[in-house]
Every structure is written in structure tokens, then in C-alpha cells.
Amino acid sequence: MAITLINPEGLPEIDVYRQVAIASGSRMVFTAGQVAWDADGVTVGAGDLAAQVEQCYLNVATALAAAGATFADAVKLTAYVVDWTPDKMERFMEGVTRAAQKLGAAPAAPATLVGVQALDIPDHLVEIEAVAVVE
């Protein structure tokens, strides 16, 4: 199976991995975990979980779009949240809602939320990845 790795315009280029992998044949799309970076690699919403969740989902949408997919094609979403406690759910969902309003569609794929001790840098509070299937 052939795999195409891409760094879509609008997301920062990372030296050690690409933002999106496209597997031909079944057209499964796997995104790298998206953090709250803008296209220049600057953290959006430092200290603000809702703002970071929103940016993560917008970045996932950008990555999916580069592969010809949308959240409607997503089959699995995984979110990793630093120092997760259930009282953070309201702020998390606020970010999802804000992203959905901007995107015109709510991410509705099966999802997993995992509490973690830390992410790549201290400013990042959340990281979200997606798997999609495109016909």
C-alpha cells in the first residue's frame, strides 16, 4: 500500500513528522496530533483550555481538508488533555462548540479523551488526532 505524507499549507512544518498520512487503496486518512499552534507554530490560547481545543479542532479540519476529507469522514478522534479532571469538560466542550460554529459542522465521530501528564511543550494543554476514511 502506497502512503503519501504531506504538510498542508496552514499548518507548521515539523522536522520529525508530517502532519497528514494518506494511505491509498482504502483511502484512510490519519492526522498527526494537532496542538494549538497557528500556521507559524505559535501557540494560540496559552493557559486557556477552550481556546486551545478550538484551535486543535481547526487544525484537524485543515489537515483533513488537505487529504480531501472533513469531519464528516472522521471515523475516530482522540484527545489528550494535560492534567485532566472531569471539571474541565465544560471548557473542553466550549472549545469544541466554538470550532464547530466556525467549521459549520460538529465533529461527531467516536472519540476518546485521555488524561496525560504533559505534552510536547508546557504551553500545550491539549492535542487532538483524527482517523478518516474517504471514498
Side-chain angles (χ1 to χ4, degrees):
M1 179 185 302
I3 297 175
T4 303
L5 300 174
I6 60 174
N7 274 322
E9 188 175 332
L11 296 177
E13 281 194 298
I14 308 301
D15 293 335
V16 296
Y17 63 87
R18 301 297 175 267
Q19 299 287 8
V20 179
I22 305 167
S24 61
S26 62
R27 294 275 300 147
M28 292 183 68
V29 179
F30 301 85
T31 70
Q34 297 299 312
V35 293
W37 274 332
D38 65 13
D40 295 320
V42 176
T43 299
V44 173
D48 183 342
L49 180 61
Q52 289 200 19
V53 168
E54 177 184 3
Q55 186 64 44
C56 288
Y57 273 102
L58 295 175
N59 289 349
V60 169
T62 299
L64 290 172
T70 68
F71 275 108
D73 302 306
V75 295
K76 180 72 169 103
L77 300 170
T78 305
Y80 303 92
V81 183
V82 174
D83 296 327
W84 177 257
T85 55
D87 63 304
K88 294 181 180 179
M89 183 59 84
E90 184 177 340
R91 296 289 292 154
F92 185 91
M93 292 309 297
E94 179 184 334
V96 172
T97 299
R98 291 184 346 205
Q101 289 171 343
K102 286 184 177 178
L103 296 168
T112 300
L113 190 152
V114 180
V116 296
Q117 184 176 0
L119 291 170
D120 59 333
I121 63 171
D123 283 348
H124 291 159
L125 305 176
V126 62
E127 182 169 332
I128 300 171
E129 62 187 17
V131 177
V133 176
V134 181
E135 294 184 40

